[in-house]
Amino acid sequence: MNYQISADIKHLSGTIQLPASKSISNRALIIHALSYSPYPIRNLSDSDDTKVLQAALNSNSNKFDIGHAGTAMRFLTAFLAKVVGEWEITGSDRMKQRPIKILVDALTELGAQIEYMENEGCPPLKIFGKHLTGKTLQLDGSVSSQYITALLLIAPTLESGLTLNLKGDATSRSYIKLTLELMGKFGIRYQWHKNEIIVPEQRYFPIDYTCEADWSGASYWYQIMALVDSGEILMENLVLDSLQGDADIAAWFEHFGVESIQEKNGVLLSKTKNNQPDRLNLDFIENPDVAQTMACLCVAKSIPFHFTGLKTLKIKETDRIAALQNELAKFGAALTEPEHGELAWDGKLDMEMKDDNPVIKTYHDHRMALAFAPMALAGLPMQIEDPMVVTKSYPGFWNDLKKIGFEVSE
């Protein structure tokens, strides 16, 4: 089933109930389990990833299938490694291709016993949970921050705690910062100096916690506001002073005439002028999840760009650099990869490449559907293949688009 997407909206007004942050929700669930908390976690994300993780943590089974949920795979691997018992964790065909060896090797150094059930270095895994003893680990800082977060979340509960020395430049430092600051809310003391993170052995302090709205989800509404002439839209439960690194986009979008104002019940996006940059150069080392948003926006507005810091995009739900190249070509944009982990476009459209009603493949990647749909506002109707892939992070997305005037039909 495909969705046909079109839109002709010049002025926008309304209120959007954003999904809760998946990043915060998934970390909070692991902390909740490690702290044996009697308190609820309020406003949990209703994304597939969070539901899968929550179901696994509440399950009486010792076998888990987490589908496409990479966060759940990594967080559960570390969590189960220290929970006494015999566990099996698997996922989708794509998940079985995604690397996890760096995390498994690190856990093995701490005393974990983990076996690969099929291909070396990838899920599915058999985990023999046992007592783990912390030490100083050396990790390549350029690896996915989810490996680092998985280790940090269990760090306080390890005998002797854990010290991580990150070699080279740490990728997605904002996500590491999010993890540590959230752990701090649950009473954890830590030190982070340059590339060394020290977490002593200690107990999580259970608290009644409410998750904030998702800034990655907000990015599509910033994109929409940049594509209309004028308007105001309230993003409920969004916080400018956020734990999430993707809150950086509020400053980025000022260049597109979109202003952000903190209100009591959320962030008000306001579009009063139609300025835009002549060219966009951005480093996504801290914000890889909004790269697709910005690439689609630039093509929709014919803005040349050069993006860096995208190395982790190749090991996401799909190779997101290749996926963007393939699908934006259907609009006549030939994107290049000047260096590994970069993406560039000269701002020129090749009309011979362009499809009149392109069918956008999503590659089982929610962010492909979420980032491409707003392009319809630039007079670029399209079909979205496998549209319900958005349930991974933003289940109500299509209804929210209809609410503000998009035409969305099967």
Side-chain angles (χ1 to χ4, degrees):
M1 177 189 68
N2 296 350
Y3 275 2
Q4 177 69 44
I5 313 295
S6 59
D8 183 15
I9 306 167
K10 304 302 180 189
H11 179 81
L12 187 62
S13 64
T15 299
I16 296 297
Q17 175 75 53
L18 285 169
S21 166
K22 180 165 64 80
S23 297
I24 291 176
S25 294
N26 292 348
R27 287 161 172 77
L29 280 172
I30 295 292
I31 292 171
H32 189 265
L34 289 170
S35 66
Y36 305 101
S37 176
Y39 303 110
I41 304 173
R42 303 186 190 280
N43 195 37
L44 265 176
S45 167
D46 61 353
S47 67
D48 288 349
D49 278 22
T50 300
K51 288 178 179 177
V52 163
L53 182 56
Q54 187 175 26
L57 291 170
N58 292 334
S59 172
N60 291 321
S61 174
N62 69 335
K63 297 182 179 181
F64 311 105
D65 184 343
I66 52 77
H68 299 302
T71 308
M73 173 61 73
R74 289 155 178 175
F75 290 6
L76 278 174
T77 296
F79 175 80
L80 294 172
K82 68 172 298 297
V83 178
V84 175
E86 187 174 317
W87 316 99
E88 291 182 13
I89 180 168
T90 188
S92 65
D93 289 342
R94 170 62 181 167
M95 186 57 61
K96 292 180 180 182
Q97 299 170 359
R98 295 179 71 177
I100 200 165
K101 186 176 188 300
I102 291 170
L103 177 59
V104 169
D105 287 352
L107 290 166
T108 301
E109 282 197 58
L110 303 177
Q113 186 178 349
I114 303 173
E115 297 176 359
Y116 299 111
M117 298 175 67
E118 293 181 13
N119 296 321
E120 182 78 13
C122 298
L125 304 174
K126 178 169 281 190
I127 301 171
F128 301 89
K130 55 190 288 195
H131 177 81
L132 302 182
T133 302
K135 58 184 293 189
T136 297
L137 291 179
Q138 306 280 343
L139 273 184
D140 182 353
S142 69
V143 302
S144 169
S145 63
Q146 289 183 9
Y147 297 143
I148 297 166
T149 284
L151 292 166
L152 289 175
L153 288 171
I154 65 168
T157 68
L158 302 176
E159 182 182 337
S160 303
L162 182 67
T163 297
L164 292 181
N165 284 327
L166 306 178
K167 295 178 292 182
D169 294 330
T171 301
S172 306
R173 289 178 72 93
S174 62
Y175 286 97
I176 300 171
K177 183 171 182 260
L178 165 64
T179 301
L180 290 169
E181 289 187 354
L182 187 61
M183 290 166 62
K185 288 185 179 296
F186 287 82
I188 297 303
R189 307 179 318 279
Y190 62 87
Q191 297 175 42
W192 185 6
H193 180 64
K194 294 185 177 177
N195 277 17
E196 183 179 68
I197 304 172
I198 301 171
V199 183
E201 179 182 357
Q202 59 199 293
R203 289 186 179 182
Y204 280 108
F205 184 73
I207 61 172
D208 189 338
Y209 185 73
T210 300
C211 299
E212 62 180 69
D214 181 37
W215 268 97
S216 300
S219 76
Y220 311 111
W221 292 96
Y222 275 88
Q223 180 187 7
I224 284 168
M225 288 299 289
L227 289 166
V228 298
D229 291 341
S230 62
E232 287 187 343
I233 192 159
L234 180 68
M235 304 277 95
E236 289 190 335
N237 297 321
L238 197 63
V239 182
L240 284 175
D241 184 17
S242 172
L243 292 175
Q244 302 167 67
D246 286 349
D248 290 346
I249 65 171
W252 295 0
F253 274 86
E254 290 175 4
H255 300 293
F256 293 88
V258 181
E259 295 184 356
S260 307
I261 303 163
Q262 184 69 61
E263 303 278 352
K264 183 179 180 180
N265 53 345
V267 173
L268 182 69
L269 307 190
S270 176
K271 176 75 176 287
T272 56
K273 48 192 175 183
N274 281 308
N275 56 307
Q276 66 181 52
D278 295 328
R279 179 180 179 83
L280 200 61
N281 297 316
L282 288 173
D283 183 353
F284 287 88
I285 196 77
E286 303 288 356
N287 319 86
D289 282 345
V290 295
Q292 287 143 298
T293 306
M294 302 309 294
C296 289
L297 175 60
C298 285
V299 171
K301 294 184 77 68
S302 296
I303 300 170
F305 64 82
H306 187 177
F307 296 164
T308 57
L310 302 176
K311 291 177 183 176
T312 61
L313 260 60
K314 290 179 175 288
I315 59 167
K316 297 287 188 175
E317 285 79 348
T318 187
D319 179 341
R320 287 178 171 170
I321 288 180
L324 283 169
Q325 288 177 306
N326 293 341
E327 303 313 306
L328 286 171
K330 296 173 182 178
F331 297 95
L335 275 60
T336 61
E337 186 179 1
E339 300 285 346
H340 177 65
E342 297 186 0
L343 199 60
W345 182 51
D346 61 9
K348 298 173 183 175
L349 295 172
D350 183 342
M351 291 302 109
E352 291 186 4
M353 290 172 55
K354 188 176 183 298
D355 294 345
D356 289 335
N357 187 25
V359 178
I360 304 303
K361 290 181 64 177
T362 52
Y363 307 87
H364 304 297
D365 183 354
H366 54 133
R367 300 206 188 280
M368 289 297 288
L370 293 163
F372 272 79
M375 295 178 71
L377 285 165
L380 301 171
M382 74 195 78
Q383 293 182 51
I384 301 286
E385 195 177 272
D386 188 20
M388 297 319 294
V389 71
V390 300
T391 61
K392 181 176 171 66
S393 65
Y394 194 159
F397 182 67
W398 301 119
N399 285 335
D400 284 348
L401 288 191
K402 290 177 187 176
K403 181 177 172 182
I404 60 151
F406 272 68
E407 297 290 332
V408 180
S409 58
E410 293 183 18

